[in-house]
Amino acid sequence: MLDSLGQHERALSGPIPEYGTEALRELAHSFIVQCYQELEREWVIDSRLADIDREISQTGTYTHTEEELTHGARIAWRNSNRCIGRLFWQSLDVLDERSLDTPEEIHQACCRHIEYARNGGDIRPTITVFQPETPHTERIRIWNYQLLRYAGYETEDGIAGDPAECEFTRYCQSHGWDGDGGPFDPLPHVIQIGDDEPELFDVPAELFEEVEITHPQYDWFGELGLRWYDVPIVSSMRLEIGGISYTAAPFNGWYLSTEIGARNFADEDRYDMLAEIGTRLGYDTSEDRSLWKDEALVELNRAVVHSFDEAGVTLVDHHTATEQFAQFERNEERAGREVTGDRSWLLPPMSSATTHVFDQTYDTTVKTPNFFYMSE
Ligand code: ARG
């Protein structure tokens, strides 16, 4: 099935599509057929399609059953070209919160998501789905990138906190939120319905769980004062299933060690810790040829893995994650589906040539259901 852009041209970002009833009907049909074929319940397809056609004629939209929502969200994960963790797509837990319609209730549901997904450290891949945007329901937006995240402050002597969050932090400050100006201050949830003014909600401190970063051998590592939150819950993407746009659908897996150790703490435009670690390791950091950056990266990543293990919080290292992805590729082949992927994202940011993904090419087609970035 080709959508207006042509399935093969689907971009990961762009405006939120507004399908006419004909296009919506087509997208609904192709999803419903796929859904019940995969669930091996083909016999419900015809009557379900008739119901959906009727609903679209009468209301301009249609409503997924809980089963369709669950399987649709799982397919969206399976289709996420940039995700190395897709082996576990079938285990995604779907929390159906479509009945909520106030920012306060939505924030509360986000808090429930955090606790459910955390599960005491044994992290559960989870998505909470709020009401979709339809001709008769307003757009819900969670403006946070993730439900747990640190503020970033531009100060006279440089940036404090996470530089990636400076713009969002400034927005929060301009709307009455006041952070401590520290390196690891939790950001509030910012939730908007339709054209109403967005509302801000602090995340209760007891919900903001973090792992303190220590090293299995170097005692000084703890003195760096590094910490990171336990669950990455992406809240800024639109889930599209069968032509329906769920503009608020926060989802999480667990962390891949390199996301924290080779990017969040290492990137020069993030916490930029490599030089300090290199110096502590005894290197002259003005000299690239010693490969001090590489050594600092390895020790930082060992610290991240060690600390999450000590804290009893699920986290996967990049070698294991890539092995699991190879299993996903074999599973998909057996199921007769082609794996699509974005190699530049699937490759770990360190030791990439040690993984099978390095020698592999992937079809970059963006299939739906999927998760999309929102520009507006
Ligand atoms: N890279 C992002 C971060 O470091 C998280 C993106 C989602 N990651 C995941 N493992 N599901 O916070």
Side-chain angles (χ1 to χ4, degrees):
M1 235 254 1
L2 298 185
D3 65 22
S4 56
L5 282 168
Q7 181 89 291
H8 299 275
E9 312 287 320
R10 289 226 49 167
L12 227 47
S13 49
I16 298 171
E18 287 179 32
Y19 300 116
T21 48
E22 244 350 279
L24 181 59
R25 216 184 290 272
E26 265 187 62
L27 291 162
H29 279 222
S30 85
F31 167 66
I32 292 298
V33 170
Q34 177 186 19
C35 180
Y36 288 104
Q37 277 176 351
E38 291 189 9
L39 295 172
E40 298 183 359
R41 299 239 312 286
E42 287 91 341
W43 60 88
V44 309
I45 293 174
D46 285 345
S47 73
R48 182 66 183 127
L49 288 180
D51 286 348
I52 288 174
D53 283 346
R54 199 172 320 112
E55 194 178 345
I56 292 178
S57 305
Q58 286 167 359
T59 70
T61 186
Y62 73 103
T63 312
H64 290 128
T65 66
E66 203 148 316
E67 189 180 25
E68 291 158 3
L69 185 67
T70 296
H71 196 62
R74 289 175 177 168
I75 299 175
W77 186 4
R78 190 179 77 204
N79 285 340
S80 292
N81 289 355
R82 297 179 163 187
C83 177
I84 193 76
R86 288 182 270 165
L87 175 61
F88 303 100
W89 67 273
Q90 289 172 94
S91 73
L92 180 66
D93 281 338
V94 180
L95 307 181
D96 181 358
E97 298 279 14
R98 286 177 291 176
S99 63
L100 308 183
D101 56 8
T102 68
E104 169 79 41
E105 288 173 327
I106 290 164
H107 159 69
Q108 294 297 345
C110 288
C111 292
R112 290 196 293 278
H113 180 131
I114 293 167
E115 284 208 287
Y116 181 88
R118 170 175 296 135
N119 190 30
D122 185 8
I123 293 173
R124 290 189 276 224
T126 304
I127 182 167
T128 297
V129 183
F130 296 105
Q131 207 172 84
E133 183 180 9
T134 72
H136 45 86
T137 50
E138 303 217 82
R139 176 178 305 175
I140 302 175
R141 284 297 309 263
I142 300 170
W143 287 99
N144 305 68
Y145 165 46
Q146 293 179 29
L147 296 184
L148 302 171
R149 197 67 175 166
Y150 299 120
Y153 311 89
E154 270 154 49
T155 73
E156 271 153 35
D157 23 50
I159 292 175
D162 191 342
E165 294 294 343
C166 283
E167 194 188 339
F168 184 77
T169 302
R170 229 180 302 119
Y171 173 88
C172 294
Q173 289 171 322
S174 72
H175 284 69
W177 177 82
D178 195 19
D180 291 341
F184 299 106
D185 295 347
L187 283 165
H189 291 162
V190 178
I191 296 168
Q192 182 177 31
I193 298 191
D195 293 327
D196 294 355
E197 196 49 33
E199 292 184 29
L200 278 65
F201 303 91
D202 283 326
V203 179
E206 67 274 15
L207 270 189
F208 205 100
E209 294 251 5
E210 300 168 277
V211 174
E212 286 177 26
I213 308 299
T214 58
H215 191 279
Q217 285 162 308
Y218 301 126
D219 286 340
W220 53 261
F221 212 99
E223 292 163 21
L224 298 173
L226 295 176
R227 54 209 287 125
W228 203 255
Y229 54 87
D230 55 355
V231 197
I233 312 172
V234 173
S235 49
S236 57
M237 294 184 87
R238 175 176 68 85
L239 166 64
E240 185 177 324
I241 302 173
I244 300 293
S245 274
Y246 296 94
T247 53
F251 60 85
N252 72 280
W254 44 75
Y255 260 115
L256 169 63
S257 49
T258 49
E259 296 184 275
I260 305 171
R263 303 300 310 278
N264 302 347
F265 287 154
D267 282 0
E268 286 180 10
D269 58 0
R270 297 294 300 288
Y271 281 81
D272 192 20
M273 293 300 297
L274 292 187
E276 184 163 355
I277 294 167
T279 304
R280 297 266 198 162
L281 286 166
Y283 284 95
D284 168 3
T285 58
S286 65
E287 177 52 76
D288 283 345
R289 259 182 101 70
S290 65
L291 306 187
W292 65 267
K293 274 191 191 171
D294 308 71
E295 174 127 2
L297 264 177
V298 171
E299 297 310 333
L300 179 50
N301 278 271
R302 290 179 69 205
V304 168
V305 172
H306 166 80
S307 307
F308 272 68
D309 283 350
E310 289 281 291
V313 176
T314 314
L315 166 139
V316 67
D317 67 83
H318 50 298
H319 302 290
T320 306
T322 312
E323 277 305 309
Q324 291 169 343
F325 190 72
Q327 183 62 48
F328 169 70
E329 293 177 88
R330 290 191 289 272
N331 292 354
E332 289 302 288
E333 170 146 32
R334 211 173 318 120
R337 292 186 291 259
E338 216 202 321
V339 172
T340 57
D342 180 338
R343 181 173 171 279
S344 70
W345 276 67
L346 295 171
L347 283 173
M350 58 192 288
S351 313
S352 52
T354 67
T355 71
H356 80 282
V357 173
F358 194 81
D359 305 296
Q360 187 88 20
T361 54
Y362 293 92
D363 174 357
T364 59
T365 305
V366 176
K367 299 191 224 164
T368 50
N370 216 319
F371 295 99
F372 297 89
Y373 297 113
M374 287 181 283
S375 39
E376 42 193 307

